[in-house]
Amino acid sequence: MRKLSIGIQSFEDLRKNDYIYVDKTRYIYDLVSRNKVYFLSRPRRFGKSLFLSTIEAYFEGKKELFNGLSIEKVENESQTPWEPYPVFNLSFATGNYTNADELNKKLLTFLRTYEEKYNLPARENDILGDRFVNLMKEVSEQTGKNVVILIDEYDKPLIDNMSVNNELEEINRRILKGFYCALKDGDKYIKFAFVTGVTKFNKVSLFSDVNQLKDISLNPRYAEICGITEEEMIHAYGKEITEMADSMDIGVNECVGELRQYYDGYHFSKEGKGVYNPFSLINALSDGELDNFWFSTGTPTFLINSIKKSGINIEMFEDGVTASEDDMTNYRAESPNVIPLFYQTGYLTISGYDKLVKEYKLSFPNDEVKYGFYSSLVPTLSPDYSYDLGKFSIGSMLEFLDDGAVDKFMNMIKALLASIPYWEGTTPANEQEWRNLVYVIFALLGQYVSAEVHSSKGRSDFIVENEKYVYIFEFKKDLSAKEALEQIETKGYAVPYESSGKKIIKIGANFSTNDKTLSEWVTEGIV
């Protein structure tokens, strides 16, 4: 029985215990040969920690772990000895940095650990950055070799506090900036350094003084350094794909297509190949079924807060949004444009690039992200509403549409909209919230039935088609349901479906800012 590496972040554990490994070691030799201080931004659960663990094993000289891997052949051809180097490994992946003293404790523990390992005195009176430089210097002098520094999830102390505790976020930012300055001040003692994270604050504040740092986040040479390409998936997991296809009673090619639709589609450069989310893919192959694995820990609070604060129109995510090259390279925490943040956290990915204006197009990478994102938004857009099966569920709404029960369907939407909190007047932000919630509901229906928003003569709000019915929805604000219904007719939204043989039901509805929910709806076509 083959072993799949679900959640394993130790390269040594993976190799010693015969887990399936997708070989990424070729990148290590390339990185070491070209530069010595790197930064890589990738979404969570994309294999950053495992890659750092692989680098750690390489620099610790554990040659036996690399038997049969690509770097072994390159190293043997170059006749370079596998020399061990002192490695400092600092991970911020664990720890609750909403606690005021957590970051200081983490950094002090890191410094003490390596001071004790090399029998060095604890320089407790030094500021953190200076103490780190002295640690590099003394270890380098003691071993006769420069040190290797690996920093994982460098930005978690900031992300934990974004839009939650601005004061602590700023305190942690200052602490980290002083600490990371050691990478510049101790440069002559560094053999190699690699820093990973989700967000890219490196050009703005935290790493502004570390001018030797090479950011490879959008470099096409390293676009597939994390994640799994389709070729790698088929080569490494062919047996598991066949077993999954059998369990789903479909062909292997169809199974690959299902996996591609659900977990592929991430692009981390203008021209790079698409890659699968490794965490989700391996979980799906292990379970033999498709599911939303990436969202098991939920959408980060700071992203939800960013959506509310910015008044983003959720509909624009469906067709793709744009971001300038500067926005993609230099994210600023205070920037009103939160779109690059959605890219960095993995909710959007590169789907195109305009060379003329140097602008990226960003879209949902796959169905797991698209529908998982929408699902996570419902309770945040409507947090006061109870989600019992009898009150709100996509399953209930689909049943209503299957039965032609329009009033039950619309009453559920009415109750959801009435639950949106903090209605104060008719501000654009509040109007956008109800539009977002309605859009998210219909987008979620699109997992199971056809849900369209375009027609040849205009743009209908929503069209939902199942085996028996075609539903055409038009929503107005502070007008009348009759006017909404008339627009469906005037614009000819129903014309493309008249030859379908299905019953066409038109629904016009009005949202009242005074009542703060749907005030009325009228229908045409119900028998």
Side-chain angles (χ1 to χ4, degrees):
M1 190 166 180
R2 306 205 319 160
K3 300 166 74 173
L4 276 64
S5 56
I6 299 174
I8 295 178
Q9 299 177 350
S10 167
F11 177 73
E12 184 168 359
D13 181 16
L14 187 149
R15 295 292 287 169
K16 284 186 174 180
N17 292 289
D18 296 322
Y19 286 93
I20 299 173
Y21 173 63
V22 175
D23 189 357
K24 299 287 185 177
T25 60
R26 65 188 183 280
Y27 291 108
I28 298 176
Y29 188 87
D30 184 275
L31 290 166
V32 174
S33 302
R34 292 176 181 274
N35 199 40
K36 74 173 186 177
V37 183
Y38 291 94
F39 171 78
L40 176 70
S41 167
R42 286 292 184 271
R44 63 193 175 96
R45 294 182 165 177
F46 242 89
K48 300 187 299 291
S49 298
L50 176 59
F51 187 70
L52 282 186
S53 177
T54 309
I55 295 174
E56 181 178 28
Y58 171 77
F59 276 109
E60 287 179 342
K62 297 179 179 178
K63 184 176 181 179
E64 71 282 359
L65 298 179
F66 295 87
N67 288 339
L69 299 181
S70 58
I71 196 171
E72 180 187 44
K73 180 180 178 181
V74 176
E75 288 281 5
N76 289 340
E77 289 176 351
S78 67
Q79 297 183 339
T80 304
W82 286 69
E83 292 186 77
Y85 287 84
V87 178
F88 299 158
N89 195 336
L90 173 58
S91 174
F92 292 101
T94 58
N96 179 9
Y97 300 100
T98 58
N99 295 329
D101 202 37
E102 186 74 13
L103 178 55
N104 263 320
K105 288 180 180 177
K106 172 69 76 171
L107 295 175
L108 288 172
T109 299
F110 163 75
L111 293 168
R112 287 173 187 151
T113 297
Y114 288 101
E115 286 168 345
E116 291 174 3
K117 179 177 180 178
Y118 290 97
N119 297 314
L120 299 172
R123 297 177 176 271
E124 296 180 353
N125 293 326
D126 287 1
I127 61 175
L128 290 172
D130 290 346
R131 187 170 173 180
F132 191 15
V133 173
N134 281 322
L135 175 63
M136 295 183 214
K137 176 178 181 293
E138 291 172 343
V139 170
S140 180
E141 290 173 348
Q142 182 185 122
T143 61
K145 294 179 180 177
N146 282 359
V147 303
V148 173
I149 300 170
L150 306 176
I151 300 176
D152 196 19
E153 304 291 359
Y154 85 97
D155 51 351
K156 190 172 184 293
L158 304 182
I159 289 176
D160 280 1
N161 292 286
M162 284 181 69
S163 301
V164 177
N165 188 335
N166 292 336
E167 182 180 355
L168 185 54
E169 180 190 352
E170 184 56 36
I171 290 171
N172 286 349
R173 187 189 306 277
R174 290 198 298 268
I175 292 172
L176 289 173
K177 180 177 174 63
F179 185 77
Y180 293 143
C181 278
L183 295 177
K184 179 181 180 181
D185 296 340
D187 180 70
K188 65 180 179 180
Y189 308 114
I190 297 174
K191 167 67 177 178
F192 185 83
F194 202 93
V195 181
T196 77
V198 172
T199 54
K200 292 177 61 177
F201 294 101
N202 56 309
K203 300 287 187 179
V204 183
S205 56
L206 291 187
F207 295 112
S208 57
D209 296 327
V210 188
N211 50 22
Q212 84 274 39
L213 184 145
K214 174 68 174 175
D215 183 0
I216 60 171
S217 301
L218 290 170
N219 190 321
R221 178 183 292 275
Y222 306 107
E224 298 104 49
I225 196 169
C226 291
I228 298 174
T229 67
E230 188 157 300
E231 292 86 347
E232 290 171 333
M233 176 187 75
I234 292 171
H235 175 75
Y237 298 104
K239 181 176 183 292
E240 286 70 27
I241 294 171
T242 300
E243 291 173 351
M244 185 175 185
D246 291 342
S247 69
M248 296 172 67
D249 195 25
I250 58 177
V252 170
N253 289 339
E254 187 178 352
C255 184
V256 170
E258 294 277 350
L259 291 167
R260 182 188 304 125
Q261 181 74 15
Y262 225 69
Y263 305 119
D264 191 13
Y266 290 91
H267 292 83
F268 298 110
S269 75
K270 301 164 190 173
E271 303 93 13
K273 293 180 181 178
V275 293
Y276 288 71
N277 180 320
F279 180 83
S280 298
L281 174 64
I282 296 172
N283 268 284
L285 292 173
S286 176
D287 291 357
E289 62 180 7
L290 305 176
D291 207 341
N292 292 336
F293 300 102
W294 195 60
F295 280 85
S296 60
T297 57
T299 302
T301 302
F302 74 91
L303 282 181
I304 296 298
N305 290 337
S306 296
I307 290 173
K308 290 187 173 183
K309 184 178 179 181
S310 64
I312 284 176
N313 177 3
I314 298 299
E315 295 180 44
M316 67 183 185
F317 280 25
E318 191 74 32
D319 296 327
V321 296
T322 57
S324 70
E325 197 161 276
D326 181 66
D327 286 336
M328 294 286 283
T329 306
N330 301 306
Y331 174 70
R332 296 167 180 81
E334 69 278 5
S335 172
N337 181 10
V338 298
I339 296 303
L341 191 58
F342 279 86
Y343 163 73
Q344 292 171 17
T345 48
Y347 292 84
L348 298 174
T349 196
I350 297 170
S351 56
Y353 181 74
D354 189 322
K355 293 181 180 179
L356 182 63
V357 295
K358 296 184 177 180
E359 194 171 68
Y360 289 87
K361 183 178 181 181
L362 306 174
S363 308
F364 287 121
N366 51 49
D367 281 358
E368 181 191 33
V369 172
K370 175 181 174 180
Y371 294 120
F373 176 64
Y374 287 148
S375 295
S376 69
L377 283 181
V378 173
T380 62
L381 292 171
S382 184
D384 294 338
Y385 199 72
S386 176
Y387 295 96
D388 296 335
L389 283 176
K391 295 182 178 179
F392 172 74
S393 75
I394 293 299
S396 296
M397 301 186 96
L398 288 169
E399 287 180 13
F400 296 151
L401 294 178
D402 284 343
D403 297 337
V406 174
D407 284 343
K408 289 182 178 180
F409 180 89
M410 296 300 288
N411 272 313
M412 187 172 283
I413 291 182
K414 178 178 180 178
L416 278 166
L417 294 178
S419 70
I420 296 177
Y422 311 123
W423 283 94
E424 298 175 0
T426 57
T427 62
N430 287 332
E431 180 183 337
Q432 190 60 60
E433 282 190 19
W434 79 260
R435 288 185 179 277
N436 281 343
L437 180 55
V438 171
Y439 185 84
V440 165
I441 291 168
F442 280 91
L444 288 171
L445 291 171
Q447 294 179 84
Y448 312 102
V449 293
S450 176
E452 302 290 340
V453 294
H454 297 284
S455 77
S456 59
K457 294 187 178 181
R459 182 182 178 93
S460 59
D461 280 336
F462 303 101
I463 297 176
V464 178
E465 183 178 5
N466 59 25
E467 291 184 359
K468 295 184 289 185
Y469 301 101
V470 176
Y471 296 93
I472 303 175
F473 297 85
E474 185 66 32
F475 291 87
K476 295 295 183 184
K477 180 177 76 74
D478 292 332
L479 293 174
S480 72
K482 183 180 178 181
E483 288 177 85
L485 190 63
E486 288 174 350
Q487 181 171 321
I488 295 174
E489 192 65 36
T490 302
K491 296 291 186 180
Y493 296 153
V495 173
Y497 303 94
E498 289 177 350
S499 61
S500 67
K502 299 178 181 181
K503 183 69 176 178
I504 297 175
I505 300 177
K506 305 168 188 176
I507 304 103
N510 179 62
F511 182 89
S512 168
T513 53
N514 185 48
D515 298 335
K516 301 169 185 174
T517 188
L518 292 182
S519 60
E520 60 171 344
W521 59 85
V522 292
T523 59
E524 182 182 298
I526 295 181
V527 178

